[in-house]
Amino acid sequence: MQLFGLEIVVDTTNDYSVLTMIDKHKFMCKQKDAHTYICKFFTLPSTPVFSTNTLDFTFVPFFQKNNFYLKIGVKNHSQMRAFAKNLYEGYNKHLKKLQIAKKWVIISYKTKKLPFINTKPIKGLKFPIQIDNEFYLKAIDSNGNPIDYDTQTGDVIEYFRLLRLFNKNALSIDRIDDFIHAYPKSIFVPDVLYLKIKLLDQNDQTDECIKLASEWIKKYSVNEHLPEVLLILAKNYANEGMIEDATYVYERLFTQYQDSKYAYEGMIYLADELYSAGDNKRAFELYKQAFSNTKDVEVASLAASRIAQRYLDQGNIKESIKYYSKLFEANKDFLLKDIQHAYELANQLAQHKAYKLAIKIGAALLEKLKPDNDLYEPLLYRLASWTYTQHDIKATQKYVDLYLKKFPYGDFLEQIKALKDKILFQIDDANATIMLQRYDTILKKYDGDIAKKALQKKINLLFKLHRYKDILQIAKKTPDINKTIVVTSAKDIVIHDLKTHNCTEAINYYKEYNITLERKFDDSLYHCAYKVRAFDIASVVCNHYLLDPDDKVVLKWLKNKAYIYQAQNNYEKLALIIDDICSLQKSNCYDWRYKQFFAYYHLNKPKEFLALAAKLSKIDNIKNIDIFTKVVLYAISTKNTLLEYTYAKKILSLEQKYHTYIQSPFIDFAFVNAAKKLKKPKEAIKVLQHLVTLDIPQEAKARAYYMLASLTADIKYLKQCIKLKKSKTWMPLCKEALEVYK
């Protein structure tokens, strides 16, 4: 950490911690008691300093008599030293004599004596010793033990042998135990024990794995493999039914190593336990959290496979297919890693009619298998069957031919032969073209029954190829052909056009061939008929539902009927049907009443539209501006000053509330004229004063200034008016009026 130029570094091992304080200015430190040190600084900090803690030390800053102090608390045994220079620059013989220095070190240790320091007196002869000025520091391992590079390198060689054996799945636990016995102090001991933990986990030696992993975690708490060992320990606790212990370790893994691949892998295994216990909701949350957040492809693949399988187990085929498809596209090797599982999965998907994904997985698996594999033959048969179900005749033909070649006496030979017979009658595009050419040749050469038979076969083939328009063209030239197939062809064209929103063609064929459609197409038929203004068809569709026992259904089709009346400008019927709509809807009927107002307005029924305007004025809606504007226009035309004043005022209020002035300046001038007639000059002045602040044409603004001058007899408005040079009518009037005042 950095404190106003003071650098504080804490290095921690299992047995001791070293606190190093370095500043560019000298400072003083003293021991207050066994667990407290006080350091005094001769410069004040330039920024605020706060208390903080580490594992073995506490830091509390304070001020006293204009001096800054740092109180350091130590939890264990400790010693403090000051250094005049760095150790590697020369050995200092007077370390304890320094009272002030730029560098102070406090060592905290759990043992009673300082580690690695021998304080026992040396027995034997003493000779003069010349201490040379060089001082050497050696590295320590992750456990705080010095590394001796002078020892032989047997452990290094042996460790890499063990690693190679492990990667080949050829390492035994006895071989690991031999290493530990031979090299108990080797720096590779933690890594070798880590390999042993993995082997115990792989061999399902749960008790031994839990014991060794627990000891390893306590002893090697800063090892890079710690997250993985935590995961192994949690899994084995769960396997033993020790759920509380497993949960505790999982939580530690998630908290301390939240972004590691092992944390997300741990979420998946914990989710497995929760799913088995019936907590499906929490399990899916963890699966999806791991899937969404991990950056590791294998972990994401594992999460996706779990989510997909759980959805499949629950019968949610749509979601299952979504996740299996993502997994297949991103990492299909993961899906095919377990051949038996991949085969069973493809079968499961096919049973749920998810043939496309089943075929993808099956085809990829077939490429991976050799013909002598037990799964190859049944998979080949199923691929032939699935592709036929999907009408992929070419693929079916490929798998059928491959089966007959590989397994001429196979277990599924009869089924394959039956499938082959079926596809013989399936005509692909290339063969169909040839057949149509043959039929045309026969029709040119022959008459009578032969020609009729050829024509019928041609029509049947065209129908099978969904070439319905060609059939209708033939029907126009040959009236005596089968009417059923003609109407069916026209109906299929209409259905296809409705689905693709080709409305003009759909309605034309619907009318021409007098098509009758099932009720499931009514929505599409209504919208297409409405779109092309075939209101007679749209209206008939609506009528099917107006007596339905379900009020929601009736309401939907009443509204659709109202749209027709609106499009036809049939205001009389529109006004009437809106009463029925609002009677059923009961609330939130403003938009329909809005339409009803304009229907009455177009019908010139002032009694009805004025009553409706009064009712709608109680609802706060910006669209009321449109309604009130029509009322004002009506009031002006009938010279109803009070009505004009009332609704113009309502519009001005709405404009100011919503900060939109779509009817200004017209409505402002209407209000002013009405207010003047009603002897309300102050209100007129207020509206005009606001109007001139708006961005309106100069002609209108000049008029407003002129009216203000007239109402107030204040020439300042005339002076503002004459500045509006673009005004051709009111600015000259202002100028003339100003001359009169002069």
Side-chain angles (χ1 to χ4, degrees):
M1 75 182 79
Q2 293 283 345
L3 299 176
F4 62 91
L6 170 66
E7 181 180 358
I8 298 177
V9 179
V10 179
D11 296 300
T12 302
T13 71
N14 287 338
D15 298 318
Y16 63 91
S17 295
V18 179
L19 165 64
T20 305
M21 296 180 289
I22 302 173
D23 195 10
K24 61 183 179 180
H25 303 293
K26 290 183 179 182
F27 59 99
M28 180 187 300
C29 290
K30 290 184 179 181
Q31 185 169 7
K32 183 178 180 182
D33 54 47
H35 295 285
T36 308
Y37 295 88
I38 303 292
C39 293
K40 177 181 179 181
F41 297 87
F42 301 101
T43 56
L44 296 178
S46 58
T47 57
V49 182
F50 303 98
S51 300
T52 187
N53 298 320
T54 68
L55 193 63
D56 294 314
F57 299 97
T58 62
F59 301 90
V60 180
F62 65 94
F63 292 88
Q64 187 174 321
K65 296 181 179 180
N66 294 325
N67 287 316
F68 175 71
Y69 294 85
L70 187 62
K71 180 181 177 182
I72 303 169
V74 187
K75 296 179 181 179
N76 302 310
H77 301 291
S78 64
Q79 291 187 28
M80 181 172 68
R81 295 286 187 273
F83 294 86
K85 296 181 180 180
N86 290 319
L87 286 177
Y88 55 78
E89 292 179 355
Y91 179 70
N92 194 318
K93 299 179 182 180
H94 307 288
L95 295 177
K96 293 183 179 180
K97 294 180 181 180
L98 289 175
Q99 300 297 317
I100 185 169
K102 294 182 180 180
K103 178 177 179 181
W104 291 83
V105 174
I106 299 175
I107 304 172
S108 169
Y109 47 93
K110 298 176 182 178
T111 56
K112 291 184 178 180
K113 295 182 180 180
L114 189 63
F116 313 120
I117 302 298
N118 186 1
T119 58
K120 294 180 180 180
I122 300 173
K123 296 179 180 179
L125 297 175
K126 294 182 180 180
F127 296 97
I129 297 174
Q130 179 67 36
I131 298 177
D132 108 14
N133 224 10
E134 294 187 55
F135 192 89
Y136 298 95
L137 296 177
K138 292 189 175 181
I140 59 174
D141 63 21
S142 61
N143 304 301
N145 298 315
I147 299 175
D148 188 356
Y149 292 106
D150 295 330
T151 59
Q152 297 187 11
T153 59
D155 62 332
V156 179
I157 296 170
E158 181 62 14
Y159 169 69
F160 284 105
R161 285 176 181 162
L162 297 184
L163 203 56
R164 282 195 295 273
L165 288 171
F166 179 82
N167 292 332
K168 294 179 180 179
N169 295 319
L171 180 60
S172 68
I173 291 176
D174 289 340
R175 185 72 178 264
I176 290 176
D177 292 340
D178 290 342
F179 179 94
I180 301 298
H181 180 74
Y183 307 104
K185 295 185 179 180
S186 170
I187 63 171
F188 297 108
V189 167
D191 299 298
V192 172
L193 289 176
Y194 156 74
L195 296 179
K196 183 175 181 179
I197 291 168
K198 294 192 71 169
L199 282 179
L200 291 170
D201 180 50
Q202 292 170 9
N203 297 337
D204 295 326
Q205 294 176 254
T206 307
D207 292 337
E208 295 90 334
C209 184
I210 290 174
K211 181 180 178 183
L212 181 57
S214 300
E215 294 171 355
W216 191 95
I217 288 168
K218 292 177 182 177
K219 193 171 183 180
Y220 308 114
S221 60
V222 292
N223 191 282
E224 63 177 333
H225 299 300
L226 182 59
E228 186 178 1
V229 175
L230 285 170
L231 175 61
I232 292 171
L233 178 59
K235 284 169 53 185
N236 280 271
Y237 272 139
N239 291 340
E240 284 293 282
M242 302 165 70
I243 304 304
E244 289 186 7
D245 293 323
T247 303
Y248 169 78
V249 178
Y250 276 130
E251 290 299 330
R252 179 179 171 186
L253 176 61
F254 301 157
T255 303
Q256 296 181 1
Y257 303 97
Q258 57 183 356
D259 290 326
S260 71
K261 62 171 283 190
Y262 301 108
Y264 293 118
E265 193 174 345
M267 287 182 188
I268 297 170
Y269 295 131
L270 178 57
D272 290 341
E273 297 298 325
L274 293 169
Y275 190 84
S276 299
D279 191 352
N280 295 358
K281 181 180 178 182
R282 178 64 180 143
F284 271 102
E285 287 174 356
L286 288 175
Y287 286 138
K288 291 181 179 180
Q289 186 178 349
F291 175 73
S292 301
N293 295 325
T294 184
K295 297 178 182 177
D296 186 272
V297 175
E298 291 301 304
V299 175
S301 300
L302 179 62
S305 68
R306 286 288 204 281
I307 297 169
Q309 188 60 49
R310 300 307 186 208
Y311 277 130
L312 189 62
D313 294 342
Q314 295 177 0
N316 191 339
I317 310 305
K318 184 178 179 181
E319 286 298 309
S320 178
I321 291 172
K322 182 174 81 171
Y323 279 94
Y324 271 131
S325 298
K326 287 181 179 180
L327 176 55
F328 184 83
E329 296 300 326
N331 190 9
K332 70 178 178 182
D333 289 338
F334 180 91
L335 205 56
L336 303 176
K337 187 163 49 177
D338 185 336
I339 292 172
Q340 183 67 38
H341 177 264
Y343 173 76
E344 291 172 358
L345 173 61
N347 276 308
Q348 264 189 303
L349 291 168
Q351 287 169 11
H352 289 288
K353 302 191 183 306
Y355 292 111
K356 288 184 179 179
L357 185 56
I359 291 167
K360 282 184 178 180
I361 295 172
L365 182 59
L366 193 72
E367 290 182 6
K368 190 174 182 179
L369 296 177
K370 293 181 179 179
D372 59 354
N373 189 289
D374 290 342
L375 298 177
Y376 191 94
E377 183 188 353
L379 178 60
L380 187 56
Y381 160 66
R382 282 173 173 76
L383 281 168
S385 177
W386 297 339
T387 51
Y388 179 78
T389 304
Q390 289 296 101
H391 307 293
D392 189 348
I393 304 305
K394 288 183 179 179
T396 306
Q397 184 72 59
K398 180 183 76 172
Y399 290 125
V400 165
D401 291 344
L402 184 59
Y403 186 95
L404 293 173
K405 179 181 177 182
K406 297 285 186 183
F407 306 101
Y409 306 102
D411 294 336
F412 302 93
L413 185 61
E414 293 303 317
Q415 295 93 318
I416 287 292
K417 285 182 176 179
L419 204 54
K420 184 176 182 180
D421 290 341
K422 287 181 181 179
I423 62 177
L424 285 176
F425 296 98
Q426 303 287 331
I427 304 173
D428 60 26
D429 290 342
N431 289 333
T433 302
I434 294 171
M435 292 302 295
L436 288 172
Q437 289 174 352
R438 288 178 183 173
Y439 295 143
D440 287 337
T441 301
I442 293 171
L443 288 168
K444 289 178 181 178
K445 288 185 177 181
Y446 301 96
D447 295 319
D449 291 340
I450 295 177
K452 286 183 179 180
K453 188 174 182 179
L455 180 61
Q456 190 59 51
K457 283 185 174 290
K458 179 179 179 180
I459 291 172
N460 291 342
L461 178 54
L462 290 170
F463 189 84
K464 192 174 289 186
L465 296 174
H466 309 294
R467 291 171 58 175
Y468 305 121
K469 291 182 181 179
D470 291 339
I471 295 174
L472 298 183
Q473 289 296 323
I474 293 172
K476 288 180 179 179
K477 298 175 183 177
T478 316
D480 59 339
I481 69 169
N482 189 314
K483 299 298 180 183
T484 302
I485 198 169
V486 173
V487 174
T488 304
S489 298
K491 180 179 178 180
D492 285 343
I493 293 172
V494 171
I495 291 171
H496 178 268
D497 285 343
L498 290 176
K499 289 179 179 179
T500 57
H501 308 292
N502 186 2
C503 292
T504 301
E505 183 176 87
I507 298 304
N508 286 340
Y509 279 113
Y510 182 87
K511 287 181 176 179
E512 183 178 353
Y513 292 93
N514 195 23
I515 301 299
T516 301
L517 293 175
E518 294 80 6
R519 287 287 180 91
K520 65 182 179 180
F521 298 109
D522 278 353
D523 270 313
S524 299
L525 180 60
Y526 166 82
H527 288 295
C528 261
Y530 182 86
K531 182 179 179 180
V532 300
R533 302 184 68 80
F535 296 126
D536 53 339
I537 296 174
S539 186
V540 169
V541 174
C542 293
N543 293 341
H544 293 159
Y545 299 94
L546 297 184
L547 297 177
D548 195 280
D550 188 340
D551 285 350
K552 290 182 179 178
V553 174
V554 175
L555 181 60
K556 171 185 173 180
W557 290 97
L558 277 175
K559 289 179 180 180
N560 286 341
K561 189 91 170 178
Y563 292 134
I564 296 171
Y565 291 147
Q566 185 178 19
Q568 292 176 314
N569 295 330
N570 191 337
Y571 300 117
E572 193 75 50
K573 289 185 177 181
L574 177 61
L576 289 172
I577 202 170
I578 288 174
D579 282 332
D580 294 334
I581 290 170
C582 291
S583 175
L584 282 175
Q585 188 160 303
K586 295 180 181 178
S587 62
N588 299 322
C589 209
Y590 175 88
D591 288 338
W592 287 103
R593 293 299 186 190
Y594 176 88
K595 294 176 187 293
Q596 191 178 41
F597 171 87
F598 282 97
Y600 284 134
Y601 188 84
H602 285 295
L603 292 168
N604 196 21
K605 292 187 175 183
K607 180 180 177 181
E608 285 82 356
F609 72 68
L610 288 175
L612 196 50
K615 185 177 179 180
L616 294 179
S617 68
K618 297 175 183 178
I619 301 172
D620 183 12
N621 194 309
I622 193 172
K623 290 169 66 176
N624 276 340
I625 291 176
D626 301 332
I627 292 173
F628 298 162
T629 301
K630 293 297 183 184
V631 175
V632 170
L633 290 170
Y634 170 77
I636 292 170
S637 67
T638 57
K639 298 181 181 180
N640 189 334
T641 304
L642 182 59
L643 186 65
E644 179 185 359
Y645 167 84
T646 302
Y647 279 89
K649 188 172 184 179
K650 290 179 184 292
I651 294 171
L652 292 172
S653 177
L654 285 172
E655 284 188 337
Q656 290 190 17
K657 179 174 182 178
Y658 290 102
H659 303 289
T660 178
Y661 301 96
I662 53 177
Q663 293 299 337
S664 290
F666 158 72
I667 205 65
D668 303 74
F669 291 137
F671 176 82
V672 169
N673 289 332
K676 286 166 63 178
K677 291 176 183 178
L678 295 173
K679 310 298 184 185
K680 297 178 183 287
K682 289 184 179 180
E683 291 187 35
I685 291 168
K686 185 177 179 181
V687 168
L688 289 169
Q689 286 174 336
H690 178 261
L691 178 61
V692 296
T693 65
L694 302 180
D695 184 15
I696 58 175
Q698 286 194 10
E699 193 68 67
K701 189 170 287 191
R703 180 183 176 187
Y705 278 127
Y706 185 87
M707 294 175 80
L708 276 169
S710 175
L711 287 167
T712 63
D714 192 337
I715 65 170
K716 69 179 181 182
Y717 295 115
L718 297 175
K719 290 179 179 179
Q720 291 293 328
C721 176
I722 63 173
K723 294 178 182 178
L724 303 172
K725 304 299 183 184
K726 293 182 179 179
S727 171
K728 303 302 181 185
T729 302
W730 293 97
M731 188 274 285
L733 290 175
C734 289
K735 190 178 289 187
E736 290 176 9
L738 192 60
E739 290 295 329
V740 171
Y741 276 105
K742 289 180 180 180

